[in-house]
Amino acid sequence: MGRGRDDAVPDWLGWLPPRLLAIDVEATGLAARDRIVSFGAVALDTASLLGPSPAPTCHHLIFDPQRVSHPRAEAVHGYDDWLLRHQDPAALHLNAIAALLGQADLIVAHNAAFDFGLLQREFAAAGRPALAARTYCTLEAYRRRGEAGPATLDAVCRRVRLQRTGERHGALEDAWLALRVYLWLQGCPVRVTRPPLGPPANLRPPPPRPEGALPPRVIFSA
């Protein structure tokens, strides 16, 4: 919930939750059996928006999804199967993700049902209880405004004059963009400076790729 009305607090800030967390996940595809490849999150103490330099905190993880990515999904996230084979499975980081989500008053995502649904799937696969969190979908909120045109994250960013750093969709950058879209939707006039969007904190460089075909994983089928 927001802070409620207070004459000392600007209207746009009074309704923001104190602790905001924007998230994004990249996955091996869109099917029910697909798994998470990377997780990005940007946390913001919204009271800091009144200060001289709001400082969001970034969280970025990469995982071995234990299956190959659909070619179109790999083209989006940019991680090939050889690199992903040498990362931790998501199950090793679920405690940290649950703790991070639990600290937030509101979880924001662009297409929240997809992102949060994938997280729930990972927790279920690990035998963990379902996540309980209050979520806000910037895609749905944008559509409710009656804006013309598509409501993809890239389209909305063009509408509000936000730019990504490249053509690939990284989980951390998409979480950052979702945060900025959320603040725009709430009428926040503060332009939060883009934080450093570094590589996943747990990324391990793979060994040299062997010659020829890689040993088989679970094979994608359409």
Side-chain angles (χ1 to χ4, degrees):
M1 296 180 61
R3 296 170 177 79
R5 301 307 297 262
D6 184 333
D7 291 341
V9 175
D11 287 344
W12 57 265
L13 182 60
W15 298 111
L16 294 183
R19 295 168 299 183
L20 185 64
L21 184 72
I23 68 166
D24 184 78
V25 301
E26 299 299 327
T28 58
L30 302 177
R33 62 185 172 276
D34 281 301
R35 306 291 296 274
I36 289 178
V37 166
S38 61
F39 169 82
V42 182
L44 179 67
D45 179 348
T46 55
S48 71
L49 293 168
L50 291 179
S53 54
T57 304
C58 295
H59 307 267
H60 196 190
L61 296 169
I62 188 171
F63 314 117
D64 175 7
Q66 302 178 328
R67 61 173 297 110
V68 295
S69 293
H70 186 287
R72 282 185 288 184
E74 183 176 322
V76 170
H77 60 64
Y79 296 121
D80 67 28
D81 187 47
W82 180 244
L83 181 144
L84 291 175
R85 289 177 185 223
H86 294 88
Q87 310 308 316
D88 296 330
L92 294 184
H93 296 273
L94 295 183
N95 283 342
I97 291 174
L100 181 64
L101 297 175
Q103 294 168 6
D105 297 301
L106 183 67
I107 310 295
V108 170
H110 200 78
N111 196 357
F114 175 77
D115 292 307
F116 211 69
L118 277 167
L119 282 175
Q120 295 283 30
R121 191 182 305 166
E122 293 293 342
F123 275 75
R128 301 283 299 268
L131 294 165
R134 180 170 169 247
T135 61
Y136 180 101
C137 181
T138 51
L139 184 152
E140 293 180 359
Y142 183 81
R143 284 176 171 164
R144 286 196 298 269
R145 286 172 58 95
E147 300 281 351
T152 64
L153 183 57
D154 282 349
V156 176
C157 286
R158 286 192 294 271
R159 166 69 175 80
V160 301
R161 298 184 180 180
L162 294 172
Q163 292 185 335
R164 64 171 64 255
T165 56
E167 296 182 359
R168 293 272 167 79
H169 281 240
L172 181 57
E173 183 171 35
D174 281 7
W176 160 248
L177 293 172
L179 174 67
R180 290 293 308 275
V181 170
Y182 171 80
L183 293 175
W184 175 78
L185 287 166
Q186 305 308 311
C188 172
V190 179
R191 296 185 63 84
V192 183
T193 302
R194 180 191 295 261
L197 302 177
N202 63 330
L203 176 66
R204 287 199 296 265
R209 186 184 178 104
E211 296 291 336
L214 298 178
R217 275 192 186 262
V218 177
I219 302 300
F220 172 84
S221 59

